Amino acid sequence: MENRCAWVGREPIYISYHDDEWGVPEYDSRALWEKLILDGFQAGLSWITILKKRENFRAAFAGFDPDVIAGWGEAEVARLLQDAGIVRHRGKIEATIGNAKAWQEIEAREGFDTFLWNYVDGKPLQNRFKTMAEVPAQTPLSVQISKDLKKAGLRFCGPTIVYAFMQAVGMVNDHEVGCECHDKVAKLAR
């Protein structure tokens, strides 16, 4: 691929993430939750840091199975704080456990996927930004989703984190219009 978004850089892991995953619509409840949790862990760090540790996170957090994580307590928090393969931040680890419980409630009520995709009527918003400088850090919609997630009991899901999440899971198509992935991702919308 010759034309990519400017943020990609040269690292193979970043190129692969951009080309195959970022912006591709994700409709699986558990996968959506995993990506929201990872975006929360990214707060204050670079995404490449999280991406390089993603497999370690998956191993440490039981494959991001919220039904397993919801039952965790202090013993698991202590174990995770010793795991050098992940970001060892007590607040984020504890939030993940609480977020698993909140996920269970949303999932039982309507489905976490439905909860999120209803904000965009089930179809990705198709932006047409020419440069990443045009892409907002947050939008009124990400502010609303953040408020609703927090009301439902989730943490580490502020408006900027939520917008990055929306981009990652394809709720918005923020590939630059000159990027070869823009049109490819647009065609994947249900």
Side-chain angles (χ1 to χ4, degrees), residues 29 33-41 61 64-67 69-71 91-107 112 149-158 161:
S29 287
W33 185 77
E34 173 183 339
K35 289 180 180 185
L36 183 61
I37 296 303
L38 288 173
D39 273 315
F41 268 98
F61 283 92
F64 284 102
D65 183 337
D67 290 322
I69 296 168
K92 292 176 182 180
I93 292 168
E94 290 174 345
T96 300
I97 296 168
N99 290 352
K101 294 172 186 172
W103 177 90
Q104 286 179 314
E105 291 176 16
I106 296 169
E107 184 69 11
F112 192 66
L149 286 168
K150 289 177 182 178
K151 185 177 176 183
L154 283 94
R155 296 180 6 214
F156 282 96
C157 55
I161 290 171

Side-chain angles (χ1 to χ4, degrees), residues 41-83:
F41 268 98
Q42 188 239 327
L45 304 169
S46 67
W47 178 244
I48 192 80
T49 299
I50 301 303
L51 196 56
K52 287 179 177 179
K53 293 178 178 271
R54 182 163 58 172
E55 291 309 315
N56 296 335
F57 272 103
R58 286 176 173 160
F61 283 92
F64 284 102
D65 183 337
D67 290 322
V68 171
I69 296 168
W72 286 1
E74 185 54 40
E76 288 81 9
V77 172
R79 173 184 59 82
L80 292 166
L81 286 171
Q82 298 303 312
D83 189 336

Side-chain angles (χ1 to χ4, degrees), residues 19-182:
D19 292 358
D20 302 323
E21 190 174 346
W22 191 75
V24 173
E26 177 62 69
Y27 296 99
D28 178 78
S29 287
R30 193 225 45 89
L32 287 163
W33 185 77
E34 173 183 339
K35 289 180 180 185
L36 183 61
I37 296 303
L38 288 173
D39 273 315
F41 268 98
Q42 188 239 327
L45 304 169
S46 67
W47 178 244
I48 192 80
T49 299
I50 301 303
L51 196 56
K52 287 179 177 179
K53 293 178 178 271
R54 182 163 58 172
E55 291 309 315
N56 296 335
F57 272 103
R58 286 176 173 160
F61 283 92
F64 284 102
D65 183 337
D67 290 322
V68 171
I69 296 168
W72 286 1
E74 185 54 40
E76 288 81 9
V77 172
R79 173 184 59 82
L80 292 166
L81 286 171
Q82 298 303 312
D83 189 336
I86 66 167
V87 174
R88 296 178 287 181
H89 184 287
R90 177 177 285 277
K92 292 176 182 180
I93 292 168
E94 290 174 345
T96 300
I97 296 168
N99 290 352
K101 294 172 186 172
W103 177 90
Q104 286 179 314
E105 291 176 16
I106 296 169
E107 184 69 11
R109 185 175 63 242
E110 64 187 299
F112 192 66
D113 57 334
T114 301
F115 173 83
L116 291 167
W117 280 98
N118 277 344
Y119 286 100
V120 292
D121 294 326
K123 296 182 178 109
L125 302 175
Q126 300 297 323
N127 291 322
R128 300 204 46 83
F129 299 121
K130 292 180 181 166
T131 68
M132 292 313 287
E134 296 174 54
V135 179
Q138 61 180 278
T139 64
L141 181 56
S142 75
V143 170
Q144 185 60 55
I145 295 171
S146 172
K147 285 180 185 176
D148 293 346
L149 286 168
K150 289 177 182 178
K151 185 177 176 183
L154 283 94
R155 296 180 6 214
F156 282 96
C157 55
T160 302
I161 290 171
V162 168
Y163 195 71
F165 165 77
M166 292 170 67
Q167 293 172 309
V169 302
M171 291 175 70
V172 295
N173 181 358
D174 276 356
H175 283 282
E176 296 170 14
V177 291
C179 173
E180 293 176 42
C181 289
H182 186 277

